[in-house]
Amino acid sequence: MMRLYLSSYRLGASAFRLRKLLNGGRRAAIIQNALDFIPAEARRAYEANVYDPKEELADWGIEAEELDLRDYFGEPRVLEKALAGFDLVWAVGGNAFLLRRAMRQSGFDQIIGELLRDDALVYGGFSAGAVVATPSLKGIDIMDDPRQCAPGYDESVPWEGLGLVDFSIVPHYRSAHDEAEAAEKAANFLDETGMPFQPLRDGEVIIVEGRNVTLLPVLPEAMRRSA
């Protein structure tokens, strides 16, 4: 049974459902390659002063460590061994096309499908991490620069997503986010072209359990913590 947790922004407003989805699992691998276009020093400062995904997951009892897909470019079998034992893969936001490149060059895109079919772990992510789970990145180029690259990356633009769900996802839709205007344009593009898609407001989450796909709205804090 495939298990997915796809959020617009960070863990969203339904982290209690991620904990339930993990069935007691507590080990997470964080993939931050969507941010590889940002200099390392700036990334470290942001993580120290603004947002650290490891700390956010720790608040929910999940022990996380970073897994840099660049370390496995051209080494899919080594990556497969590295993923063994993790209960969750958590891909953070940034540039969806850069993240997709990292997944392609490391073989993650093939490995994750096998692991999910075997119900070996949960795939989760927010913003770019959610976007790459879809069949196509078309329309997302309105939000992310498909040509944005980093050292060691293949410059060819990856338009195919992982295909873990059968619809596109537009994060930050009608939200208090810098990309809200671009998200509106992306949603309009997908609507006009007839591509199935789900817009996500910040706080909203899509959960997939087998064939069941559920959109979780934002709940009051008291309800989230008691659920």
Side-chain angles (χ1 to χ4, degrees):
M1 179 183 76
M2 184 179 294
R3 293 174 289 155
L4 308 176
Y5 184 94
L6 308 173
S7 172
S8 177
Y9 188 61
R10 300 182 181 174
L11 284 180
S14 299
F16 68 94
R17 288 293 302 270
L18 174 60
R19 194 167 56 186
K20 290 182 179 179
L21 203 62
L22 286 170
N23 296 325
R26 291 182 176 275
R27 288 197 64 214
I30 298 179
I31 293 176
Q32 303 195 79
N33 296 97
L35 300 172
D36 284 346
F37 64 95
I38 300 174
E41 185 175 341
R43 288 174 63 176
R44 285 194 295 270
Y46 183 85
E47 192 171 284
N49 300 308
V50 182
Y51 172 67
D52 184 347
K54 293 188 293 297
E55 289 185 2
E56 185 182 34
L57 288 167
D59 286 343
W60 291 92
I62 300 168
E63 301 173 6
E65 60 187 77
E66 184 173 358
L67 183 77
D68 190 338
L69 293 181
R70 291 174 294 184
D71 294 338
Y72 303 96
F73 281 6
E75 300 285 349
R77 294 306 102 192
V78 180
L79 175 59
E80 187 172 21
K81 291 179 180 178
L83 287 168
F86 284 109
D87 306 298
L88 168 68
V89 170
W90 183 248
V92 309
N95 186 295
F97 294 92
L98 193 58
L99 176 60
R100 186 64 185 88
R101 284 184 176 94
M103 291 179 167
R104 181 177 65 188
Q105 290 180 238
S106 63
F108 178 90
D109 52 0
Q110 301 299 316
I111 296 166
I112 192 63
E114 297 170 6
L115 292 174
L116 289 169
R117 282 190 294 272
D118 292 340
D119 198 28
L121 48 64
V122 174
Y123 176 85
F126 72 87
S127 193
V131 165
V132 296
T134 69
S136 172
L137 302 189
K138 290 180 180 177
I140 299 302
D141 53 314
I142 296 171
M143 301 179 70
D144 293 351
D145 182 358
R147 297 173 301 279
Q148 194 164 50
C149 224
Y153 278 87
D154 180 356
E155 293 185 0
S156 63
V157 177
W159 291 102
E160 290 186 355
L162 300 177
L164 305 179
V165 295
D166 58 4
F167 52 87
S168 295
I169 292 173
V170 179
H172 314 307
Y173 182 72
R174 297 183 179 176
S175 303
H177 192 282
D178 291 345
E179 290 192 295
E181 184 178 348
E184 190 82 29
K185 293 177 181 177
N188 289 338
F189 169 82
L190 293 169
D191 187 43
E192 290 168 3
T193 55
M195 294 175 65
F197 73 99
Q198 177 62 59
L200 280 183
R201 291 177 169 86
D202 287 353
E204 292 183 330
V205 173
I206 295 168
I207 283 189
V208 178
E209 296 179 89
R211 296 186 178 182
N212 297 320
V213 180
T214 306
L215 173 62
L216 300 178
V218 178
L219 297 174
E221 177 68 19
M223 292 179 65
R224 298 202 300 269
R225 286 289 176 176
S226 63

